[in-house]
Amino acid sequence: MATQVARVRESGILGRSHGLARLFDYLADPARDGRTLREADVAHDVFGRELDLSGDASVRVYVHRLRKKLDEFYAGAGAGEPHRLVIPVGEYRLDLIGRPAPPESPPSAGAARRRWVAPALAAALALVVANIAAWAFLARETSPSRDLARAAASPLWAGIGRERPVVVVLGDYYIFGDTDHGEGPKRMIRAFEINSPAELDAWLMDNPEFQGRYVDLDTYYTPVGATLALREIMPLLRQAAGDADRVRVTTASHLTPDLMKSADIVYVGYLSGLRILHQPVFERSRFTIGATYDELVDRRTGQTFVSGAGAASADRPNRDYGYLAAFRGPAGNRFVIVAGARDIGVMQMAEVASDPNTFRALKTGRDAALEVLYEVDGVGRTALGARRVTVAH
């Protein structure tokens, strides 16, 4: 087992996650061989806390991720290893199992030919041809390009970019500097009520005591989750539009009213970063944004959905909310909103929007207005799954 443990460590498959590395080292420690470990033991010894039995799934999440990392190693760099490490289901330990040997080559037929050789070869050839045809069909039906085409043909994306160009709007935020009345900025500030240099100037006019302290840095930032979600959405949009040149990317800070009328608009980002898209999205919505911008309020029921993903932690489960909407603008152009309160919300919505089965389950037609709220569970910035909360057509 020590050899396999060393090879997994050396491969770098565990990445930069200190939590995964600590869990692996803990389970691989020979001192624990033969002991029956409990979930509470792992929570205490590896993560340094007592297990909250009321719903703390962090240990199970990390064990699930470690199993996937081991599968990746033995499917890639460790594919030739005669043995492999596994974590038995329902247990907290490493086990070493053998891997099946490759099948032996069939013996040579030799020089002697029997009368049945020709019919057998013909049958074998027919079987090979049938196999090739079957594999070609399977590859065509299950290839990434096939999935992409199916997703692009779904009601959410069908026809987008065919009549108008597509403008993908990435949610971004304006930040300014605080000099603390010194020579240069000491820190950067993000304020939801100040979204441009012009708004900073107007705010300083109303608050002259901060003149000379707060300064424009001409700086914007984009959340990590929005950038990763954009990577998921772009190939889909190019497929739907039929021409990559018909798809362009801009930021919410540079979106203009003219673009909102002349192009199909796809927004990717935080709900708090919609900027001028906020009004067209929420004037027809069942929801309204709460005061903290990390919450949605259902206008019909008064129920509040508050994101718990604000302070990302590498080893703490959290909950976010994802929002997916589609509608026609006054000019007849299409609007698609792929958003979340925080990173895991928007990243999970990109996966949902790229899944061709999503809209079959929602039973929505092409061009139909749609609004869906999802509850997203994850750890740190890793989304683990989503559950639909409300659907409005």
Side-chain angles (χ1 to χ4, degrees):
M1 180 180 290
T3 301
Q4 290 300 310
V5 167
R7 287 180 179 168
V8 170
R9 283 190 184 124
E10 293 165 1
S11 72
I13 194 71
L14 300 179
R16 298 182 180 180
S17 172
H18 298 300
L20 276 183
R22 289 199 307 270
L23 177 61
F24 181 74
D25 291 343
Y26 178 77
L27 297 179
D29 188 341
R32 272 173 275 280
D33 190 25
R35 284 180 51 193
T36 301
L37 297 172
R38 302 172 303 152
E39 188 176 357
D41 296 327
V42 179
H44 179 272
D45 297 345
V46 178
F47 301 110
R49 64 173 183 269
E50 300 303 321
L51 187 68
D52 178 6
L53 297 178
S54 64
D56 187 344
S58 57
V59 171
R60 294 190 296 277
V61 167
Y62 266 87
V63 169
H64 173 72
R65 290 175 61 195
L66 182 54
R67 281 198 185 98
K68 291 183 67 175
K69 290 295 184 183
L70 290 175
D71 289 342
E72 289 176 22
F73 172 72
Y74 289 109
E81 298 291 337
H83 300 85
R84 66 159 292 167
L85 295 170
V86 297
I87 304 175
V89 177
E91 299 183 45
Y92 298 96
R93 64 182 178 87
L94 280 176
D95 198 3
L96 187 68
I97 62 172
R99 306 180 77 184
E104 296 182 1
S105 300
S108 172
R113 305 282 182 176
R114 293 189 174 88
R115 284 177 297 177
W116 47 262
V117 169
L121 285 176
L125 181 61
L127 183 61
V128 168
V129 170
N131 251 312
I132 292 172
W135 277 109
F137 175 79
L138 184 63
R140 186 173 66 250
E141 291 298 307
T142 59
S143 68
S145 60
R146 177 71 177 183
D147 285 344
L148 196 64
R150 288 175 57 215
S154 70
L156 185 67
W157 305 110
I160 198 164
R162 300 290 177 168
E163 300 175 3
R164 299 172 177 82
V166 180
V167 174
V168 185
V169 181
L170 190 61
D172 67 336
Y173 297 91
Y174 172 70
I175 54 179
F176 55 91
D178 180 0
T179 66
D180 199 18
H181 298 293
E183 291 296 322
K186 301 294 190 299
R187 63 191 181 102
M188 293 188 290
I189 298 176
R190 161 66 185 144
F192 282 113
E193 68 274 20
I194 301 175
N195 293 297
S196 68
E199 290 185 10
L200 176 61
D201 288 342
W203 188 88
L204 289 173
M205 291 290 289
D206 293 334
N207 299 270
E209 66 272 23
F210 289 94
Q211 290 279 2
R213 174 173 176 175
Y214 289 168
V215 295
D216 173 39
L217 301 176
D218 192 25
T219 301
Y220 297 78
Y221 80 94
T222 303
V224 172
T227 305
L228 295 175
L230 181 66
R231 185 176 63 181
E232 186 95 15
I233 293 295
M234 285 301 291
L236 183 61
L237 286 174
R238 294 190 182 104
Q239 174 83 24
D243 183 353
D245 292 337
R246 293 179 61 80
V247 182
R248 56 171 287 197
V249 179
T250 189
T251 56
S253 58
H254 289 86
L255 180 63
T256 65
D258 285 343
L259 278 177
M260 289 173 59
K261 296 176 184 176
S262 61
D264 288 336
I265 302 294
V266 178
Y267 174 80
V268 181
Y270 285 8
L271 287 164
S272 57
L274 283 163
R275 293 179 179 258
I276 64 172
L277 284 170
H278 185 277
Q279 181 179 352
V281 170
F282 286 102
E283 69 181 0
R284 68 191 70 233
S285 173
R286 171 174 177 165
F287 302 96
T288 184
I289 293 283
T292 67
Y293 287 89
D294 275 339
E295 60 185 316
L296 283 172
V297 181
D298 190 324
R299 301 177 198 263
R300 299 180 191 174
T301 66
Q303 185 176 1
T304 300
F305 303 92
V306 183
S307 171
S313 170
D315 58 2
R316 181 177 59 81
N318 53 42
R319 174 162 291 168
D320 199 8
Y321 287 92
Y323 177 84
L324 196 64
F327 56 90
R328 286 274 183 186
N333 55 330
R334 298 275 299 282
F335 285 76
V336 177
I337 310 299
V338 181
R342 291 293 180 125
D343 281 342
I344 62 173
V346 65
M347 287 190 293
Q348 187 66 48
M349 288 307 94
E351 290 189 23
V352 169
S354 304
D355 185 348
N357 298 315
T358 294
F359 303 96
R360 186 182 303 116
L362 293 174
K363 299 179 180 177
T364 184
R366 178 173 173 169
D367 288 346
L370 173 72
E371 183 176 51
V372 195
L373 181 67
Y374 287 84
E375 187 178 79
V376 180
D377 289 316
V379 173
R381 285 195 173 95
T382 302
L384 300 178
R387 179 181 66 85
R388 286 196 304 275
V389 178
T390 62
V391 180
H393 296 285

